[in-house]
Amino acid sequence: MTGESPQSATGAKSSVKVRAIEHADVADVASFLHRNLNARVAESSWASLMTPPWTSEAPNRGFLMISDGEIVGAYVAVHSDRDVEGATVSVCNLAAFCVLPEFRTHSLRLMRAMLAQKGLVFTDLSPSGAVPAMNERLGFRYLDRATRLVLNAPGFGGGVSVTDAPEELERTLVGADLTLYRDHREAPAARHLLVRTSAGYAYLVYRRDRRKRLPLFMTPLYAGGDREILRRSWPAVAAHLLAKGLPFTLAESHILGFVPGGLGRELKNPRPRMVKGDPAPSDYLYSELALLSW
């Protein structure tokens, strides 16, 4: 999630300092983001973004910009250690970016401080405004963002069980799926779905999204287990989602591994997803998309 596009500063003070966000800064940064980036998000939710429920050797919580003792900008980061293509990768998710209008000529200082950290893969999964263009200039590339808006038309098939019961997820998931679930079961925006058949299970992590202020859209963040089971069982999954008040899925084949059929259309301008560095995670976990509802 990002602030508005940079613009020329007027009357910005010259004594601007950039430093890392430390634990003692969390409450102040949360208040700054609530006031200046998105007031619909409570200060406690902004604070949760900077204190994720998983274990990570995080070097910081991002960077902030101070002038005359006051916070005038913040770039929040969410750190994680991921298993990507058999290697352990340190990932820095760029989670929230906001600079007061009169200081936006200093925005690049925040971005450069973040990107100066060595040995990290950077993800930016909800950039907006002028940020995608700035990211491109700084060496980011776009992930496959093809998205189909699909109506969650209910259907039922024999031998399919769909549940979000925590005890069933804990009992059924194995290996990496179980680790991901335990890391995200307390993540505020992550919702979990287990699909079982006689052939095995599929595991779906998703979030509720807004479009035109309507919170009616499901965005998948991760698809694990047997994706073929998920594909074949999609009508039953759609029925479950519809019962949860989610009549639409923003289906990204990059995440699901398939495109659900039925009524729908391809989005002309899907949300950008960007990354800098290799190898990059193939999902949207360990990010603001799992931690923050807006």
Side-chain angles (χ1 to χ4, degrees):
M1 177 183 286
T2 55
E4 295 179 5
S5 59
Q7 52 186 270
S8 296
T10 56
K13 301 178 178 63
S14 59
S15 58
V16 176
K17 297 180 180 179
V18 172
R19 65 168 175 83
I21 299 172
E22 301 174 352
H23 180 73
D25 300 312
V26 166
D28 289 339
V29 173
S31 177
F32 172 81
L33 294 172
H34 172 72
R35 294 193 316 271
N36 298 290
L37 183 53
N38 192 333
R40 288 201 311 267
V41 179
E43 289 186 28
S44 59
S45 297
W46 284 120
S48 295
L49 178 65
M50 291 176 273
T51 54
W54 51 81
T55 301
S56 174
E57 296 296 326
N60 52 62
R61 292 166 173 80
F63 291 84
L64 55 78
M65 193 155 58
I66 296 177
S67 178
D68 291 343
E70 298 292 330
I71 296 175
V72 298
Y75 208 168
V76 173
V78 176
H79 289 268
S80 62
D81 298 312
R82 303 294 310 273
D83 184 354
V84 183
E85 299 176 6
T88 299
V89 177
S90 296
V91 178
C92 178
N93 167 245
L94 309 183
F97 184 33
C98 180
V99 178
L100 296 183
E102 61 267 35
F103 291 91
R104 284 183 183 150
T105 54
H106 297 276
S107 295
L108 277 175
R109 292 179 60 186
L110 274 178
M111 300 182 81
R112 287 170 176 156
M114 187 79 79
L115 298 179
Q117 301 175 98
K118 303 299 183 183
L120 302 178
V121 171
F122 297 91
T123 61
D124 197 347
L125 302 179
S126 57
S128 62
V131 174
M134 287 194 294
N135 281 352
E136 286 187 67
R137 292 195 294 271
L138 292 167
F140 281 76
R141 69 182 187 276
Y142 289 96
L143 296 172
D144 178 7
R145 51 182 178 156
T147 304
R148 180 174 171 81
L149 176 64
V150 179
L151 177 66
N152 290 330
F156 302 92
V160 178
S161 167
V162 180
T163 181
D164 55 10
E167 63 273 15
E168 295 297 327
L169 285 149
E170 185 75 32
R171 182 164 43 241
T172 304
L173 299 178
V174 296
D177 288 334
L178 182 58
T179 299
L180 296 176
Y181 170 67
R182 288 174 173 173
D183 282 351
H184 288 81
R185 60 188 167 190
E186 302 300 328
R191 302 185 177 204
H192 307 269
L193 204 59
L194 178 67
V195 183
R196 287 181 297 192
T197 71
S198 59
Y201 78 80
Y203 171 44
L204 179 67
V205 186
Y206 67 95
R207 63 176 274 118
R208 180 186 290 268
D209 262 327
R210 292 175 182 267
R211 292 295 185 273
K212 297 182 179 180
R213 300 184 179 182
L214 298 175
L216 304 175
F217 302 84
M218 183 277 269
T219 295
L221 306 181
Y222 171 79
D226 189 335
R227 288 183 174 186
E228 179 60 19
I229 290 175
L230 184 62
R231 186 190 69 79
R232 292 198 309 265
S233 304
W234 191 258
V237 172
H240 179 94
L241 295 171
L242 190 61
K244 295 291 183 179
L246 291 165
F248 304 102
T249 289
L250 294 164
E252 298 184 45
S253 58
H254 171 73
I255 297 297
L256 291 176
F258 63 94
V259 178
L263 293 176
R265 61 179 176 84
E266 298 295 324
L267 297 188
K268 293 182 179 179
N269 295 296
R271 295 289 172 89
R273 318 287 193 189
M274 305 185 77
V275 66
K276 178 181 173 68
D278 288 298
S282 58
D283 56 62
Y284 302 152
L285 297 178
Y286 300 90
S287 75
E288 82 279 10
L289 297 182
L291 292 167
L292 196 66
S293 298
W294 64 82

